[in-house]
Amino acid sequence: MDPAQFSTDALLSSTFRDDYGLEREKLESLYSKSKRHQWNAELDVEWDRFEPDVDILDRRSDLLSRLPSVQALPENEQASLFKAGNLFLISQVLHGEQAALMTCGQLVNSVPDMDGKFAAAVQVIDEARHVEVFARYLQCHGRRFPIDPDLQSIVTQLLAEHDWEAKCVGMQVILESIALSFFRLGEEKAVEPVLAQFIGRVHEDEARHVAYGVLTLEDRIPQLAEETRERLENWAYDAIARIGGRAGKQSFQSQMQALATTGIDLERFLPALMADFARIHEMDFSGLNDPMAQTVLPNLLRIGLVPERLVPGYLAQGWVVDRDTRSVRDIHTFASETQDMRRVFQDQGIDFADPAQVSRLED
Ligand SMILES: [Fe+2]
Ligand SMILES: [Fe+2]
């Protein structure tokens, strides 16, 4: 098989209905809105306005722009670094869009109610358009990076999940909430004119998809058996630990591939970069967005998938979660509260990357 291609088996329970009534007003209005807001990636974007030599996103939105090791690079190397980083990210977004297209096709079969099937069906065409628009965009740049192994393993698991609730949590609530943060950032910070034209429209579509997930699941989760709900809570925790990269392992391992394409002398640059990361606690993070605190965790709280037993594990990753007010504060990994929590886990021999182990924490 082509190494860039992967397959997975999906055993799907499909529900056919002999009842065509739409029952849930909120989902029906989402479906209706989606039909009215369709756009065409081929004709509604002025592709000839593409500018190959400008920045893709405003550099100030990137943590790297605040590092002395980066600021010390000559201007052409800095430009190349930010471009490679942005193209790596957009490539992962493209792969995520394909995963959304496929998962959503499955949801048409497996969600039991007609309103849910309609909302998933219209999302399928939205996702096809997103795949098209990002694939065309990367073609303009003449560069695309392969899917990152962490993202691939989450996508594989998502497609193979049997229950629609697990697919919906993984795709609509976790991956799409992360994408939503990126699109929001893109809408504010896109510099390259073609990206600036379409990113806001993708953002608008994606906001409807996340709303679909949250509206469907906030009704459904409380009805699940305890065991099923626990499994979903753990699956969400595990996905966040892997993508967020705050549980002892760097996320997006393959990002280094992007760095290797920049032409920067890595033997000189990498040690300086690592030295900056070692002093990261001295950095000012204000104005940088964290998708987990902004969208993912608040949505998980809303649908009831952040149990008390996992709150210490989220704290060890730098997120203070308040279940009562459903609020999340990002204090980052170097805060003393985070470090104290990590020490407690360590003393009890618990790996906080693993939700089953986190549950075993003793007072
Ligand atoms: Fe999408
Ligand atoms: Fe989506």
Side-chain angles (χ1 to χ4, degrees):
M1 194 194 287
D2 174 351
Q5 184 179 321
F6 65 95
S7 300
T8 178
D9 292 330
L11 186 67
L12 207 61
S13 104
S14 303
T15 307
F16 183 92
R17 295 201 57 149
D18 188 14
D19 170 2
Y20 294 89
L22 300 179
E23 291 140 25
R24 283 184 295 167
E25 216 176 291
K26 284 181 194 161
L27 280 186
E28 199 188 334
S29 77
L30 259 185
Y31 170 62
S32 168
K33 200 169 170 188
S34 299
K35 285 188 293 182
R36 280 180 276 119
H37 288 232
Q38 293 297 309
W39 51 282
N40 186 326
E42 186 187 344
L43 303 176
D44 296 340
V45 179
E46 295 167 87
W47 292 97
D48 55 1
R49 283 180 55 200
F50 178 68
E51 288 186 32
D53 299 323
V54 297
D55 281 348
I56 299 176
L57 294 172
D58 185 335
R59 296 180 197 182
R60 283 166 300 181
S61 62
D62 195 322
L63 165 72
L64 285 177
S65 69
R66 303 186 186 186
L67 303 180
S69 58
V70 173
Q71 289 160 356
L73 292 171
E75 164 51 32
N76 62 333
E77 292 188 359
Q78 286 194 41
S80 164
L81 176 70
F82 287 105
K83 182 154 289 181
N86 289 164
L87 289 176
F88 176 84
L89 205 59
I90 295 173
S91 298
Q92 302 315 315
V93 168
L94 168 65
H95 301 309
E97 295 291 355
Q98 185 188 170
L101 172 68
M102 293 167 71
T103 313
C104 220
Q106 296 180 331
L107 286 179
V108 176
N109 280 268
S110 56
V111 289
D113 54 305
M114 201 49 76
D115 337 50
K117 287 184 191 294
F118 278 16
V122 78
Q123 188 183 333
V124 170
I125 186 64
D126 289 347
E127 303 301 4
R129 179 171 56 248
H130 298 169
V131 173
E132 180 191 349
V133 84
F134 285 109
R136 277 177 186 265
Y137 187 63
L138 289 170
Q139 231 164 26
C140 292
H141 285 279
R143 242 196 300 175
R144 190 183 74 225
F145 292 95
I147 187 167
D148 179 82
D150 277 324
L151 181 60
Q152 180 174 336
S153 80
I154 290 170
V155 167
T156 306
Q157 193 180 342
L158 199 60
L159 288 168
E161 281 290 342
H162 181 265
D163 299 335
W164 68 266
E165 293 92 342
K167 291 181 193 295
C168 207
V169 168
M171 180 47 70
Q172 259 82 359
V173 182
I174 300 180
L175 292 184
E176 301 210 284
S177 293
I178 293 172
L180 196 63
S181 284
F182 173 71
F183 299 138
R184 187 182 299 139
L185 173 83
E187 195 173 11
E188 285 167 20
K189 308 282 182 182
V191 175
E192 195 291 307
V194 168
L195 183 73
Q197 272 183 72
F198 73 75
I199 193 93
R201 306 188 91 159
V202 178
H203 181 199
E204 211 181 282
D205 293 344
E206 220 62 60
R208 287 196 307 269
H209 304 164
V210 174
Y212 166 54
V214 170
L215 288 173
T216 309
L217 291 163
E218 73 181 345
D219 289 344
R220 180 64 185 155
I221 302 287
Q223 299 169 12
L224 294 176
E226 196 177 314
E227 196 187 325
T228 313
R229 203 186 55 238
E230 270 180 31
R231 197 176 156 262
L232 291 181
E233 291 161 356
N234 287 356
W235 152 225
Y237 184 94
D238 177 59
I240 289 176
R242 281 194 281 170
I243 302 173
R246 293 185 180 186
K249 194 172 142 282
Q250 200 67 37
S251 65
F252 292 124
Q253 299 283 323
S254 55
Q255 210 152 8
M256 286 303 278
Q257 289 174 357
L259 198 54
T261 66
T262 56
I264 296 171
D265 174 5
L266 295 182
E267 260 178 61
R268 184 172 45 83
F269 175 62
L270 283 183
L273 183 69
M274 291 307 143
D276 281 344
F277 279 123
R279 289 195 309 270
I280 202 92
H281 53 280
E282 296 166 11
M283 302 259 322
D284 173 16
F285 281 87
S286 55
L288 293 175
N289 74 331
D290 168 41
M292 300 305 176
Q294 238 173 27
T295 48
V296 183
L297 283 164
N299 283 337
L300 282 176
L301 279 163
R302 185 165 158 193
I303 62 173
L305 284 184
V306 184
E308 199 61 56
R309 69 186 168 92
L310 294 178
V311 168
Y314 284 119
L315 177 58
Q317 297 180 66
W319 294 296
V320 181
V321 174
D322 185 330
R323 294 174 76 243
D324 295 328
T325 59
R326 292 181 179 172
S327 62
V328 180
R329 205 155 41 89
D330 180 18
I331 56 171
H332 228 278
T333 49
F334 40 76
S336 58
E337 270 172 281
T338 307
Q339 292 299 324
D340 290 346
M341 196 68 244
R342 288 184 174 198
R343 263 189 295 277
V344 174
F345 279 119
Q346 202 175 11
D347 291 347
Q348 297 189 26
I350 289 175
D351 174 7
F352 65 88
D354 175 0
Q357 291 192 40
V358 171
S359 310
R360 292 204 301 268
L361 184 78
E362 285 162 18
D363 288 341

